[in-house]
Amino acid sequence: MASTVSLLTGLSGLNAHSRRLEVIGNNISNVNTTAFKSNRMLFSTQINRTMSVGMSPQGANGGTNPGQIGLGVRVAGTQRDMRTGAIAVTGIQTDLAVDGAGQFIVERDGEQFFTRAGEFQFNANNEITTVRGERLMGYGVDDNFNLQEGSLSPVTIPLGTMTIAEATSTVNLAGNLNADGDVATTGSIIEFDALTAGGGAATLATPLISLDPAGAFAVGDSITVSGAERGGKSVQDATFAVEDGTETIEDFLTFLQNILGVVPDGGYAMGDVTGGPEDGSFNVDAMGVIQFIGNYGESNDLDLQTDMFSVKDTDGIAKSNPFSVSKTVDATGESVRTTFAVYDSLGTELLVDVTMVLVETDDNGTYWRAFMHSGDDTDRATFLENGERDGMFSTDVPLLSFDNFGRMTSPGSFDVELDRDDTGAGDPLSFSLNFASQDGELTAFSDSGGESALGVTFQDGAPLGVLTSFNVGPNGVISGGFSNNQVRTLGQLVLATFTNEAGLVEVADNLWRIGPNSGPAQVARPGEFGSGRVQGGSLELSNVDLGSQFIEMITTSTGYSASSRVISTADELLQQLLVIGR
């Protein structure tokens, strides 16, 4: 007798295989969906109709197996293939792929989602978002570009708007100082013809307004020095003001020392090698003749002439110049100068001169003084303070000593201060000047017929720069490149991993959310705690295998057709049964 059960069994086959075809169709349609994870349908048997549970062997009876008739098939569930798809390089900076386990974390309307589809883009706020607008989350940075881990925030890359500048903290120099050079014995000597006051010779304490002839100087006058040189290099023009009439000749000569970069008394408090009142000093003899003395070394030689002085009254009208200036002695001594740029905290470029002067030789080696100058120093003195001792910076000139083999024996590093008063920048700019570093060292070998050489091998600091590019590293760190060649950390991407990634619930737009069987999200930096690494400029492709999908489609079609034959055969039997009944 025909059974209606076979109709229901065939119907279950039709239903199960049609559902399987839906899964296969979804896989095939998403073959080009970024980071799509293929799905497969799993079947299971329906309950069985048991006619006998069987019998064990007994005596002459060999035993029997269970007698059961199946009642069809049903859908047991679906299973995701969470394996990583092939990674394709796109070259687009905002494209990101995860090579390994883990999901990007994105946020929409305060709700967290997860995705491996890394086709990200910028929004109007320079935030990285998905195509649908979900914000990519990660770790941000503070004002000093230090990562702020533990708190997720939208990843922001402000191209074209973020600017930075970096103050110089280190300058390394190297080269060779010619130990065969002439030892310095004198600085430039500039003489001013005899000045008188009240019929007698002037002294350092004589006020300028008291000088003869009467009216040579008056309150409100200004004395401008223009065109002076130190070591063949122009000195910035500067003006001395006669403000209240108490300004003395000594005040004016101190002004000259400052603007010409003459270190008072040679700055010889650091060490006891060479130095005396004739180096970097001034005096007025009994006849009222001013003798102004510069520092040792040819690179410190001064050029100061009568026509470089000009005097104007309070109305800006030129007056006759009472000074008659002549140079009587040139500065001597082997020396070399190099000029380099440093930067303050606002990125302003400041030029600094370092001059090395040979001051003595003995049985132990050679000794050199390092003079530092900068016309960009905001106080009047162009020689720079250096060599911090007892909590104070001084104008002592550092002494560098070298042994018989030309190797430095003294400390090869000291700090330098450059004043930045009222500029808005950090004041002062303090940086380390190093003559021995991994980039090279300063030596003092003989070089017959040659010259000393000194140059910068490294310096940090940078002028104003604009963020122009970025790069995402395998560890998720976002590095920004600025137009001043500086690189800074802008943030870090994080990945969420799950105990059972296949337990995530898929929602639209390549997004997932936590499911009851996925376990909680474990947030980690890429490469940590089992998470994969991030590959920038790339996308993960779908992991659908078209070949296997077509095979499954054929077997599904066969199963569907076969199930339909079961139904049609059962129907024929029923029809025959009905004919017999008539």
Side-chain angles (χ1 to χ4, degrees), residues 188-192 224-230 235 252-253 255-257 259-260 262 290 292-293 301-309 323-328:
S188 303
I189 298 180
I190 309 293
E191 290 191 350
F192 293 70
T224 299
V225 179
S226 177
E229 294 182 353
R230 183 185 66 254
V235 174
F252 178 67
L253 294 178
F255 158 78
L256 286 182
Q257 277 189 331
I259 67 170
L260 295 175
V262 176
I290 296 175
F292 183 89
I293 305 171
D301 189 48
L302 301 178
D303 182 11
L304 188 65
Q305 304 173 21
T306 301
D307 59 4
M308 295 177 183
F309 294 85
F323 297 126
S324 179
V325 182
S326 61
K327 183 176 181 181
T328 59

Side-chain angles (χ1 to χ4, degrees), residues 5 35 59 94 117 170 180 207 381 394 447 471 539:
V5 173
T94 52
T170 302
D180 276 341
S394 73
D447 188 6
N471 176 66
L539 288 177

Side-chain angles (χ1 to χ4, degrees), residues 522-537:
Q522 301 172 11
V523 179
R525 293 174 294 188
E528 294 184 353
F529 303 108
S531 61
R533 63 187 185 92
V534 174
Q535 188 166 324

Side-chain angles (χ1 to χ4, degrees), residues 439-479:
D439 302 308
E441 63 179 292
L442 188 64
T443 57
F445 294 110
S446 297
D447 188 6
S448 300
E451 297 180 349
S452 297
L454 181 65
V456 172
T457 57
F458 168 82
Q459 69 174 87
D460 58 9
L464 178 68
V466 179
L467 181 63
T468 58
S469 63
F470 71 94
N471 176 66
V472 180
N475 61 353
V477 173
I478 305 170
S479 300

Side-chain angles (χ1 to χ4, degrees), residues 349-416:
E349 183 180 87
L350 314 169
L351 296 181
V352 176
D353 292 338
V354 174
T355 303
M356 303 298 300
V357 179
L358 177 60
V359 293
E360 186 172 325
T361 61
D362 61 19
D363 291 340
N364 295 317
T366 59
Y367 303 86
W368 300 74
R369 292 283 181 181
F371 293 84
M372 280 73 64
H373 298 88
S374 177
D376 294 316
D377 195 76
T378 51
D379 65 14
R380 179 167 281 176
T382 59
F383 50 82
L384 302 182
E385 297 174 321
N386 61 85
E388 187 174 1
R389 288 173 304 284
D390 299 327
M392 299 291 290
F393 273 75
S394 73
T395 56
D396 297 348
V397 179
L399 176 69
L400 300 181
S401 58
F402 298 83
D403 63 19
N404 302 128
F405 302 98
R407 301 298 180 183
M408 191 180 304
T409 57
S410 61
S413 177
F414 52 85
D415 294 332
V416 179

Side-chain angles (χ1 to χ4, degrees), residues 128-167:
I128 302 296
T129 68
T130 66
V131 175
R132 294 288 184 175
E134 292 85 11
R135 291 180 173 88
L136 178 63
M137 307 298 287
Y139 296 143
V141 293
D142 61 18
D143 293 339
N144 295 318
F145 301 99
N146 298 311
L147 283 171
Q148 300 296 291
E149 300 181 10
S151 177
L152 295 181
S153 61
V155 175
T156 303
I157 304 176
L159 290 172
T161 59
M162 176 178 281
T163 57
I164 66 165
E166 181 182 81

Side-chain angles (χ1 to χ4, degrees), residues 98-324:
V98 180
D99 186 4
Q103 303 255 351
F104 295 115
I105 302 174
V106 297
E107 186 178 81
R108 179 180 64 201
D109 297 329
E111 183 178 2
Q112 258 187 15
F113 296 93
F114 309 95
T115 184
R116 289 178 66 93
E119 58 250 304
F120 297 110
Q121 59 188 15
F122 285 105
N123 66 8
N125 297 325
N126 292 313
E127 297 170 329
I128 302 296
T129 68
T130 66
V131 175
R132 294 288 184 175
E134 292 85 11
R135 291 180 173 88
L136 178 63
M137 307 298 287
Y139 296 143
V141 293
D142 61 18
D143 293 339
N144 295 318
F145 301 99
N146 298 311
L147 283 171
Q148 300 296 291
E149 300 181 10
S151 177
L152 295 181
S153 61
V155 175
T156 303
I157 304 176
L159 290 172
T161 59
M162 176 178 281
T163 57
I164 66 165
E166 181 182 81
T168 296
S169 63
T170 302
V171 178
N172 296 339
L173 297 98
N176 183 64
L177 304 177
N178 183 16
D180 276 341
D182 296 330
V183 175
T185 57
T186 183
S188 303
I189 298 180
I190 309 293
E191 290 191 350
F192 293 70
D193 282 357
L195 300 177
T196 58
T203 66
L204 288 176
T206 300
L208 290 175
I209 61 173
S210 300
L211 292 177
D212 293 328
F217 293 107
V219 173
D221 285 357
S222 60
I223 308 170
T224 299
V225 179
S226 177
E229 294 182 353
R230 183 185 66 254
K233 186 172 183 177
S234 297
V235 174
Q236 291 181 346
D237 296 351
T239 299
F240 181 87
V242 183
E243 296 178 345
D244 55 17
T246 62
E247 294 81 4
T248 64
I249 291 177
E250 183 174 10
D251 293 332
F252 178 67
L253 294 178
T254 300
F255 158 78
L256 286 182
Q257 277 189 331
N258 288 336
I259 67 170
L260 295 175
V262 176
V263 184
D265 297 325
Y268 286 105
M270 286 185 68
D272 56 2
V273 177
T274 306
E278 68 278 359
D279 178 14
S281 63
F282 51 76
N283 61 75
V284 178
D285 66 16
M287 302 299 295
V289 175
I290 296 175
Q291 194 174 58
F292 183 89
I293 305 171
N295 295 129
Y296 290 174
E298 294 179 3
S299 294
N300 284 325
D301 189 48
L302 301 178
D303 182 11
L304 188 65
Q305 304 173 21
T306 301
D307 59 4
M308 295 177 183
F309 294 85
S310 62
V311 183
K312 292 183 179 180
D313 64 18
T314 188
D315 296 322
I317 299 174
K319 299 176 65 173
S320 61
N321 177 13
F323 297 126
S324 179

